[in-house]
Amino acid sequence: MFKKLLIANRGEIALRIHRACKEMGIKTVAIHSTADADAMHVRLADEAVCVGPASSKDSYLNVHAILSAAIITGAEAIHPGYGFLSENAKFAEMVEEHGITFVGPSSKHIKAMGDKITAKQVVEKAGIPVVPGSAGSVDSVDDAKKIAKEFGLPVLIKATAGGGGRGMQVVREMSELEELYKRARQEAGSYFSNDTVYIEKFLDDPRHIEIQVIADKHGNVCHLGERDCSLQRRNQKVLEESPSPVINQEVRDEIGMIVANAIKDIGYSSVGTVEFLYENGQFFFIEMNTRLQVEHPVTELVYNIDLVQEMIKIAYGDKLSITQDQIKPQGHAIEFRINAEDPETFMPSPGTILLHHAPGGYGVRVDSALYTGYSIPPYYDSMISKVIIFGKSRDICIKRAKSALSEYVIDGVKTSIPLHTRLLEDPTVLTGDYTIKWLEADFLANK
């Protein structure tokens, strides 16, 4: 096994990886910006290297500084976590070129799945159902109009290099297509330095279902069921759970095996998540994330597996420690993303934590790097903590979550805890009868 691993990330995920490594007897190297000098992952790691100033592009996205940190500390592997460089094919390639193991899939698969057009073509060929749409990029307004007429409105214009809802425009009237097409390309170019777009039929009111897969370098592949991520605001997930309230075991096995077989067919190894829109009993592929997901803990709790440790073992060359017939859901889990933001306006709320008291008890897990006196910097994503609740049933989870959230104290900044508390009192959430539109169109619009 690796003796030393560099964690190319920050916050709760850096701490999560550090803890997994400590259990495996692996020494850790933390990287940090000047703004994160007092961060918990920096304090707990065996070694720490400052890789630049506060700005992400000068620190956590500074490839040369990160590689230099790995080389000077003698790190044998680099785990990218999620976000930042986790799906950067060039970074993965450079890591390998320097004789260091990238804890993740090959740069070839990162590149293929990072381009949504290529990803769609690859998975469709492997047998995964996709959303009807353009065969490739749509390079002119005239082509966009032809495709919109072919599939019928509404259609969705999407950036091929996109993510997080950027570079996406829904066209409901032909008269607005030209303007929205140009807007999508402009936004795509601005955010991703790539203004290429494609078009898909727009599914009006689906759920967001994703399948977790794990594959080693020896051809062994397993799926670990689904996560339901339908509670979203501006295409950003707010709450995730497993199993989905609307998926039964028969459907789970069917779509899970379709995905697992496809992953095996393309030769993928590491953890990965295949995301779908689910409407009227049908699954439609939207993208594959070639990394660890923010919401991975719900799968870990339901299936009793440490995905981070498995990911590291796979990178080292070990075989999977489980087989598909050993994988059965053992309960229910819900993850609540806690952001440092105003729960009414959703404006970021950085600042100093005057008091931090995390909830506890049976079935309560908190993934966080917070501590009393910690100053949340204004330069990064606003998510500061995750509360993950496990129980024998969804009903038990919800009751346990209400208690846990009522105990959680994060004093000094505003957080999204009140939003989650309100959600757990809503009849629609209690029944699980919602889609990706519900949170914004109904819950928030009618508050």
Side-chain angles (χ1 to χ4, degrees):
M1 182 47 64
F2 303 117
K3 292 181 174 61
K4 186 183 290 187
L5 179 148
L6 182 142
I7 304 166
N9 217 297
R10 64 178 300 278
E12 64 87 15
I13 191 58
L15 197 55
R16 167 74 182 90
I17 297 166
H18 164 80
R19 287 169 172 159
C21 287
K22 297 306 286 184
E23 285 187 23
M24 299 173 74
I26 302 171
K27 291 187 179 297
T28 58
V29 179
I31 63 165
H32 65 92
S33 69
T34 53
D36 274 338
D38 293 327
M40 186 62 79
H41 76 284
V42 176
R43 293 185 171 199
L44 294 184
D46 295 288
E47 299 174 66
V49 179
C50 181
V51 290
S55 171
S56 295
K57 67 181 178 64
D58 297 320
S59 52
Y60 297 105
L61 294 173
N62 188 336
V63 172
H64 297 292
I66 293 170
L67 286 172
S68 296
I71 292 168
I72 64 174
T73 58
E76 302 164 83
I78 294 178
H79 197 308
Y82 53 72
F84 293 130
L85 294 167
S86 62
E87 292 181 290
N88 186 308
K90 184 61 178 176
F91 175 64
E93 187 178 338
M94 291 176 70
V95 170
E96 297 290 352
E97 286 174 351
H98 282 77
I100 302 168
T101 300
F102 180 78
V103 182
S106 68
S107 58
K108 177 186 74 172
H109 286 119
I110 296 174
K111 184 177 181 180
M113 294 303 163
D115 181 284
K116 288 184 170 57
I117 294 174
T118 304
K120 185 176 178 180
Q121 293 168 343
V122 169
V123 301
E124 185 175 21
K125 184 179 180 181
I128 292 178
V130 301
V131 182
S134 60
S137 62
V138 179
D139 302 319
S140 70
V141 172
D142 288 339
D143 286 343
K145 289 179 179 178
K146 289 177 184 177
I147 293 167
K149 288 177 181 177
E150 178 184 351
F151 291 105
L153 297 177
V155 294
L156 180 64
I157 304 172
K158 298 176 70 174
T160 184
R166 305 295 187 182
M168 293 171 56
Q169 297 292 334
V170 179
V171 181
R172 298 185 181 277
E173 301 290 340
M174 197 61 74
S175 60
E176 61 185 14
L177 185 144
E178 182 172 353
E179 179 186 347
L180 294 178
Y181 172 82
K182 292 177 179 178
R183 190 182 302 174
R185 291 195 65 165
Q186 183 180 26
E187 192 175 65
S190 175
Y191 279 96
F192 312 114
S193 300
N194 181 352
D195 69 352
T196 307
V197 298
Y198 65 108
I199 292 179
E200 290 181 339
K201 178 66 179 172
F202 180 67
L203 301 179
D204 207 45
D205 205 20
R207 294 181 79 102
H208 183 127
I209 305 290
E210 58 189 33
I211 305 296
Q212 176 72 60
V213 292
I214 184 166
D216 63 26
K217 298 177 181 179
H218 307 278
N220 302 303
V221 182
C222 294
H223 75 85
L224 289 90
E226 83 286 354
R227 295 186 289 258
D228 195 318
C229 310
S230 301
L231 280 176
Q232 301 181 9
R233 175 182 172 271
R234 294 187 177 178
N235 298 302
Q236 297 289 321
K237 299 166 186 173
V238 173
L239 175 157
E240 304 98 347
E241 62 182 307
S242 180
S244 167
V246 298
I247 301 294
N248 61 34
Q249 191 62 44
E250 182 181 358
V251 173
R252 179 174 303 115
D253 290 341
E254 181 181 2
I255 188 63
M257 289 312 301
I258 288 173
V259 170
N261 289 334
I263 292 303
K264 184 173 184 176
D265 186 56
I266 66 176
Y268 184 91
S269 68
S270 193
V271 303
T273 299
V274 179
E275 302 198 350
F276 294 93
L277 294 179
Y278 181 70
E279 188 173 68
N280 299 324
Q282 291 184 287
F283 289 91
F284 300 97
F285 171 84
I286 47 175
E287 65 178 338
M288 180 177 181
N289 290 308
T290 54
R291 56 171 168 78
L292 196 66
Q293 294 278 91
V294 173
E295 58 271 24
H296 75 274
V298 296
T299 298
E300 292 185 321
L301 293 178
V302 170
Y303 291 92
N304 192 29
I305 182 171
D306 189 319
L307 287 173
V308 177
Q309 289 195 15
E310 287 293 317
M311 195 177 183
I312 294 170
K313 291 174 184 177
I314 290 168
Y316 187 71
D318 290 353
K319 292 183 178 181
L320 291 183
S321 63
I322 52 171
T323 58
Q324 191 65 59
D325 60 356
Q326 295 174 317
I327 298 171
K328 302 293 180 186
Q330 301 298 318
H332 200 96
I334 305 176
E335 175 179 289
F336 301 84
R337 298 191 185 199
I338 310 302
N339 296 336
E341 63 186 21
D342 189 300
E344 298 293 331
T345 66
F346 300 100
M347 292 295 292
S349 178
T352 300
I353 304 295
L354 302 179
L355 178 64
H356 179 253
H357 173 75
Y362 184 79
V364 178
R365 167 176 164 178
V366 179
D367 282 16
S368 172
L370 296 180
Y371 60 87
T372 298
Y374 174 66
S375 292
I376 301 170
Y379 312 106
Y380 313 113
D381 187 87
S382 64
M383 192 183 76
I384 53 173
S385 180
K386 302 182 311 199
V387 177
I388 311 99
I389 307 297
F390 176 76
K392 290 183 178 180
S393 67
R394 189 172 189 267
D395 183 56
I396 290 173
C397 262
I398 289 173
K399 290 176 181 177
R400 191 167 286 163
K402 289 180 180 179
S403 176
L405 291 173
S406 71
E407 290 181 23
Y408 205 173
V409 177
I410 305 176
D411 195 13
V413 299
K414 294 180 179 180
T415 76
S416 56
I417 292 175
L419 171 64
H420 290 297
T421 301
R422 286 173 49 220
L423 283 170
L424 291 177
E425 297 295 337
D426 191 279
T428 300
V429 174
L430 298 182
T431 61
D433 186 25
Y434 48 78
T435 65
I436 60 173
K437 286 185 175 182
W438 177 82
L439 183 62
E440 283 187 291
D442 294 302
F443 183 78
L444 295 176
N446 298 322
K447 67 179 180 180

